[in-house]
């Protein structure tokens, strides 16, 4: 549970809970369902409004409510979710019907994230040690330097710290690519989520961090000041404005944190000599003469 009483759960994994009624549950007459609403305009047609009903047998490909035990007015159940459920916050309510009477009781929100432990989730990883490193580990090293000399910079990824998940969900929800019925489907897909968060990490896309390679860091701090993602993301969440300044390894650390907090396995990768596609051909071209000597002025 979080400070707003919402609960973070991994999709495709049963969520156990107990519905407590003010009277005994009648298995012959009473009907219990869960009402889940995702996004600003939930709709039954696009799958963002889900009525979860009782099921006898369950697969990981569908929503279902499994009744485990009944003890008077206490009904223990398991909520099953598909391994491709939308990633993000769902408004949750319990629906109870007896004959013609029915009521809807609002409950804390559920936040679904990716589940790399589930073999039907696209983020699945077989190796438990890789899961420990790329999902659960909050600390690591980021390499920085030059082609001649590089060294590790210890980094606090802090993907489970306060506000970090909120930032990731905010960036996903604000991305124009997830608007509308077709765009909504992108929030199921870890590839699209990665692209959205990659854009959201950069203030040039209306996101978190402003890059600066000038050596003049007036109005912010030098990129070498940072030793982790947490302060950067918490500052962004508090101020709702871009954080100044970062360079390549800082973007890498922040991006790794954003991916891990929503359950996508990730590691920080940096490089020391970049080739830039200057003419939009999607190729990097070297020009040489008949003696294999570089033609000056053409290669860049």
């Amino acid at each position: 549970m979080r400070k707003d009483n919402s609960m973070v759960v991994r999709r495709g994994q049963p969520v156990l809970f107990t519905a407590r009624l003010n009277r005994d549950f009648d298995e012959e007459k009473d009907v219990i369902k869960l009402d889940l609403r995702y996004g600003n305009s939930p709709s039954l047609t696009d799958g963002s409004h889900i009525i979860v009903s009782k099921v006898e047998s369950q697969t990981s490909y569908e929503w279902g409510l499994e009744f485990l035990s009944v003890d008077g007015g206490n009904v223990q159940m398991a909520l099953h979710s598909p391994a491709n459920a939308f990633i993000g916050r769902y408004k949750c309510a319990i629906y109870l019907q007896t004959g013609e009477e029915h009521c809807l009781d609002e409950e804390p929100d559920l936040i679904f994230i990716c589940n790399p432990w589930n073999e039907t989730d696209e983020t699945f990883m077989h190796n438990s040690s890789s899961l420990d490193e790329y999902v659960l580990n909050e600390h690591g090293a980021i390499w920085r330097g030059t082609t001649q000399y590089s060294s590790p910079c210890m980094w606090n990824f802090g993907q489970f710290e306060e506000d970090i998940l909120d930032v990731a969900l905010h960036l996903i929800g604000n991305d124009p690519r997830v608007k509308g019925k077709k765009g909504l489907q992108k929030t199921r897909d870890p590839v699209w989520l990665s692209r959205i968060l990659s854009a959201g990490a950069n203030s040039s896309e209306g996101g978190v961090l402003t890059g600066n390679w000038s050596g003049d860091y007036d109005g912010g701090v030098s990129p070498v000041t940072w030793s982790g993602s947490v302060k950067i993301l918490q500052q962004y969440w508090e101020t709702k404005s871009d954080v100044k300044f970062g360079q390549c390894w800082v973007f890498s650390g922040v991006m790794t944190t954003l991916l891990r907090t929503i359950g996508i396995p990730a590691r920080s990768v940096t490089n020391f000599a970049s080739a830039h596609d200057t003419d939009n051909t999607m190729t990097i071209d070297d020009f040489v003469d008949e003696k294999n000597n570089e033609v000056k002025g053409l290669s860049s």
Side-chain angles (χ1 to χ4, degrees), residues 33 51 59 61-62 94 110 115 124 194 198 202 230 238:
K33 298 180 181 180
I51 307 297
T59 72
Y61 301 104
E62 61 185 15
I94 293 181
L110 295 176
N115 189 358
F124 176 67
S194 300
S198 177
N202 197 320
V230 177
E238 181 180 347

Side-chain angles (χ1 to χ4, degrees), residues 46-65:
D46 63 15
S48 57
H49 182 193
I50 309 108
I51 307 297
V52 189
S53 303
K54 180 180 179 181
V55 292
E56 299 301 332
S57 60
Q58 181 59 37
T59 72
S60 59
Y61 301 104
E62 61 185 15
W63 293 95
L65 203 56

Side-chain angles (χ1 to χ4, degrees), residues 162-176 196-210 221 226 228-245 250-251 254 257-258 261:
E162 188 173 318
D163 300 330
I164 305 305
L165 178 58
D166 296 287
V167 173
L169 299 182
H170 170 76
L171 295 173
I172 293 168
N174 273 11
D175 193 283
I196 289 166
L197 290 177
S198 177
N202 197 320
S203 68
S204 66
E205 300 280 346
V208 175
L209 191 61
T210 296
V221 300
W226 305 112
S229 307
V230 177
K231 288 184 178 180
I232 295 170
L233 292 168
Q234 288 179 339
Q235 179 180 324
Y236 170 78
W237 187 242
E238 181 180 347
T239 64
K240 298 299 189 293
S241 62
D242 57 303
V243 179
K244 300 174 181 177
F245 293 103
V250 186
F251 282 101
V254 168
T257 297
L258 290 171
T261 197

Side-chain angles (χ1 to χ4, degrees), residues 98-118:
T98 304
E100 298 298 321
E101 298 182 5
H102 59 86
C103 65
L104 197 64
D105 184 26
E106 297 293 331
E107 299 294 333
D109 296 348
L110 295 176
I111 299 175
F112 282 85
I113 62 175
C114 296
N115 189 358
W117 284 265
N118 185 322

Side-chain angles (χ1 to χ4, degrees), residues 225-289:
T225 303
W226 305 112
S227 59
S229 307
V230 177
K231 288 184 178 180
I232 295 170
L233 292 168
Q234 288 179 339
Q235 179 180 324
Y236 170 78
W237 187 242
E238 181 180 347
T239 64
K240 298 299 189 293
S241 62
D242 57 303
V243 179
K244 300 174 181 177
F245 293 103
Q247 291 182 4
C248 303
W249 78 91
V250 186
F251 282 101
S252 179
V254 168
M255 178 64 176
T256 301
T257 297
L258 290 171
L259 290 173
R260 288 185 184 181
T261 197
I262 63 167
I264 296 178
R267 63 175 178 175
S268 174
V269 177
T270 52
N271 67 309
F272 308 112
S274 302
H276 291 268
D277 181 16
T278 56
D279 55 4
N280 296 317
T281 60
M282 297 184 70
T283 62
I284 305 300
D285 303 318
D286 288 320
F287 295 87
V288 296
D289 60 21

Side-chain angles (χ1 to χ4, degrees), residues 35-37 41-52 181:
D35 185 285
L36 300 176
R37 297 170 186 258
S41 303
S43 168
L44 293 170
T45 57
D46 63 15
S48 57
H49 182 193
I50 309 108
I51 307 297
V52 189
K181 292 184 184 245

